[in-house]
Amino acid sequence: MNASEFRRRGKEMVDYVANYMEGIEGRQVYPDVEPGYLRPLIPAAAPQEPDTFEDIINDVEKIIMPGGCCLGRGSNQPIRCVQSLGAGGSLEKGLAPACKPPVPPYLEAASPACTELETVMMDWLGKMLELPKAFLNEKAGEGGGVIQGSASEATLVALLAARTKVIHRLQAASPELTQAAIMEKLVAYSSDQAHSSVERAGLIGGVKLKAIPSDGNFAMRASALQEALERDKAAGLIPFFMVATLGTTTCCSFDNLLEVGPICNKEDIWLHVDAAYAGSAFICPEFRHLLNGVEFADSFNFNPHKWLLVNFDCSAMWVKKRTDLTGAFRLDPTYLKHSHQDSGLITDYRHWQIPLGRRFRSLKMWFVFRMYGVKGLQAYIRKHVQLSHEFESLVRQDPRFEICVEVILGLVCFRLKGSNKVNEALLQRINSAKKIHLVPCHLRDKFVLRFAICSRTVESAHVQRAWEHIKELAADVLRAERE
């Protein structure tokens, strides 16, 4: 969608929302659809080719609106709707998210459309990734997908669920054990290249977290993990949770799932796979092998808001056993109970996450998947990877520079040959000039510059101009160092 079409469609959406609010008194106060009404109305998989905007908007009215209530929290609800405290909103507030029909998804019974569309969209996305069927919601399986706010939330939710599961298991075998006695011995693991959010999850969860040394390709391998497990078990600790990263933030390295996965399964350790950035690429068959080994995982997460054209926030998380989440987070005060909650026919996502309230994030996925089609999204990913290799080629042609790690997807780690000091000076000049902006990292003892292809509108010309700019500033830095 170009700027002109976006402007036109944006005006149409404002009209749609305004018309909705003007006619709100004529709307039904509470949905009367049956549980599971939405799935038969939507295809079982994402379209390969794009749909039209008109078709999508027509489906919003036909499929989504019947499954919404009287617009609870954060929107203009009818006078007749008195179910929630503090649920009124303003027209002014509505100008920001005008493209999203304001249906409140904080309770499944109030907004079945929100819940059921999320369930279907997570299955669409899971099929695009070719996830094992155990992770999908359909066909009465034990697993399922949920949209979290971020990969940080997903990691924390997985850790807390794993913690609850191991405590229950140990207390069932030894009832005399207290939760405190177990907690002080629990230990979780991740690669030394894992995102800082993993460490934060350990802090919030009140458990020890240990970093497993990565190999020469910055990947976690079986031997290092096994050594740490044997050492900690001998010390009386209880290994219970492990985070494997696919596409690390620092250099887009990949932990070896095919090696560490079987170990986690054998040792009864919850394996959570964090593919926050790289996961979007797995919709392309040529990159799907990077996900091999996910069948050993208990939970898997990536962020469509990073590289799949879905606006923030939208973090897709799947689990093999949804009861592992609901067992950790389920609470049912009287004011949240409803007639279908024990029917087995519906999914209450409030039991899958930390917050009670949640946004209608699946609608963004539905729009994007239909507007682009799977082929359009694959083309978008492939273009970015192609551009990253173009930048890599430019760097390799200049003998002053070096590539620091294999370029697999859209991230290039590079530096001037020489000291960290000269690379820090180069980065300072690049970011001070404010023509482009780079974020650095440390790979072992090296200060490294990171060039990430991430804009929807980036073209080869932008990559070429960026490289010319970097070369000019590098010449200045090297000249200054000689002087």
Side-chain angles (χ1 to χ4, degrees):
M1 194 179 282
N2 57 31
S4 176
E5 184 180 1
F6 179 74
R7 187 177 290 110
R8 177 166 61 89
R9 297 302 189 186
K11 291 176 181 177
E12 291 175 4
M13 289 308 302
V14 171
D15 286 341
Y16 180 89
V17 174
N19 291 338
Y20 183 99
M21 291 179 174
E22 283 181 342
I24 202 168
E25 285 299 312
R27 295 266 178 174
Q28 189 159 296
V29 172
Y30 203 78
D32 61 359
V33 296
E34 292 298 317
Y37 89 96
L38 187 143
R39 188 180 282 272
L41 303 177
I42 294 179
Q48 292 296 307
E49 303 290 345
D51 287 339
T52 67
F53 187 81
E54 288 78 10
D55 285 343
I56 299 172
I57 294 301
N58 288 337
D59 283 347
V60 167
E61 188 64 37
K62 181 174 66 176
I63 298 173
I64 303 301
M65 287 305 181
C69 80
C70 57
L71 304 188
R73 298 186 184 276
S75 52
N76 260 27
Q77 65 190 93
I79 297 170
R80 294 175 293 134
C81 185
V82 291
Q83 70 179 39
S84 302
L85 297 173
S90 68
L91 286 171
E92 290 76 12
K93 183 264 344 173
L95 289 176
C99 61
K100 187 188 328 184
V103 182
Y106 67 98
L107 185 63
E108 194 282 337
S111 297
C114 174
T115 296
E116 295 188 21
L117 186 65
E118 181 163 338
T119 300
V120 176
M121 288 304 99
M122 291 301 292
D123 278 355
W124 274 21
L125 188 52
K127 291 174 183 178
M128 290 160 65
L129 298 170
E130 297 183 10
L131 284 181
K133 290 183 179 180
F135 286 106
L136 303 183
N137 292 280
E138 63 180 10
K139 297 181 180 177
E142 294 184 86
V146 58
I147 303 174
Q148 305 286 0
S150 66
S152 302
E153 286 181 37
T155 301
L156 177 59
V157 165
L159 183 143
L160 295 177
R163 189 187 71 180
T164 299
K165 186 175 182 179
V166 71
I167 289 173
H168 288 171
R169 186 181 76 234
L170 293 175
Q171 287 183 326
S174 304
E176 73 280 3
L177 287 176
T178 65
Q179 180 170 321
I182 296 172
M183 285 276 293
E184 68 181 8
K185 293 184 177 182
L186 293 181
V187 57
Y189 304 88
S190 70
S191 160
D192 59 9
Q193 299 299 310
H195 193 271
S196 61
S197 61
V198 178
E199 182 177 359
R200 176 171 291 185
L203 290 173
I204 297 172
V207 299
K208 302 176 184 66
L209 179 72
K210 296 193 175 184
I212 305 298
S214 54
D215 68 4
N217 293 316
F218 306 100
M220 177 165 47
R221 303 296 299 272
S223 57
L225 174 62
Q226 192 69 63
E227 181 180 341
L229 293 177
E230 296 302 326
R231 183 171 58 247
D232 288 342
K233 287 191 295 182
L237 298 177
I238 305 171
F240 82 106
F241 183 73
M242 212 273 285
V243 178
T245 306
L246 301 181
T248 58
T249 300
T250 51
C251 64
C252 199
S253 59
F254 291 77
D255 290 337
N256 195 316
L257 285 186
L258 291 172
E259 288 188 3
V260 302
I263 294 175
C264 290
N265 287 183
K266 178 183 176 183
E267 299 286 346
D268 209 2
I269 296 171
W270 182 301
L271 173 59
H272 176 69
V273 177
D274 175 9
Y277 160 69
S280 297
F282 304 155
I283 69 170
C284 298
E286 63 268 34
F287 301 125
R288 175 55 179 79
H289 70 278
L290 297 169
L291 187 56
N292 288 349
V294 71
E295 61 270 18
F296 298 109
D298 296 277
S299 53
F300 168 72
N301 166 253
F302 86 99
N303 292 342
H305 66 232
K306 283 190 182 295
W307 203 14
L308 209 58
L309 293 168
V310 179
N311 291 357
F312 186 85
D313 57 350
C314 183
S315 187
M317 178 186 185
W318 290 266
V319 291
K320 273 185 179 172
K321 286 193 174 183
R322 51 182 173 268
T323 53
D324 289 338
L325 295 189
T326 58
F329 301 115
R330 187 182 183 99
L331 291 172
D332 275 319
T334 301
Y335 51 81
L336 292 178
K337 290 184 177 180
H338 56 87
S339 59
H340 294 302
Q341 68 178 36
D342 297 319
S343 66
L345 300 174
I346 59 101
T347 299
D348 251 339
Y349 280 124
R350 61 193 170 102
H351 301 312
W352 295 49
Q353 60 179 27
I354 294 170
L356 169 62
R358 53 203 331 270
R359 292 170 295 286
F360 200 166
R361 291 174 288 211
S362 60
L363 198 64
K364 298 184 291 188
M365 298 169 69
W366 195 43
F367 268 61
V368 169
F369 295 166
R370 294 186 64 181
M371 289 292 290
Y372 280 84
V374 175
K375 290 183 179 178
L377 294 171
Q378 290 172 336
Y380 173 74
I381 296 292
R382 287 167 177 148
K383 178 181 178 182
H384 278 195
V385 176
Q386 177 186 349
L387 290 174
S388 72
H389 285 298
E390 179 179 338
F391 184 81
E392 175 195 15
S393 177
L394 293 170
V395 174
R396 290 189 184 279
Q397 292 171 31
D398 192 320
R400 300 173 299 174
F401 287 87
E402 61 180 341
I403 296 292
C404 303
V405 67
E406 180 186 2
V407 178
I408 299 175
L409 297 177
L411 178 67
V412 181
C413 292
F414 71 107
R415 70 195 300 271
L416 280 168
K417 295 174 181 176
S419 66
N420 284 344
K421 182 178 179 181
V422 72
N423 282 282
E424 291 169 1
L426 175 58
L427 179 70
Q428 193 277 329
R429 289 196 181 222
I430 290 171
N431 289 344
S432 295
K434 297 183 179 179
K435 290 185 177 180
I436 62 173
H437 188 86
L438 301 184
V439 174
C441 72
H442 272 96
L443 294 178
R444 304 288 188 248
D445 58 347
K446 288 186 176 181
F447 185 85
V448 174
L449 282 62
R450 299 163 63 257
F451 189 90
I453 305 293
C454 50
S455 171
R456 181 179 64 87
T457 57
V458 67
E459 299 290 346
S460 175
H462 299 113
V463 172
Q464 297 285 339
R465 284 201 297 269
W467 176 240
E468 289 301 320
H469 180 58
I470 292 170
K471 286 199 302 181
E472 291 174 6
L473 295 179
D476 293 342
V477 168
L478 293 173
R479 188 180 307 112
E481 184 184 41
R482 289 193 298 268
E483 295 173 352

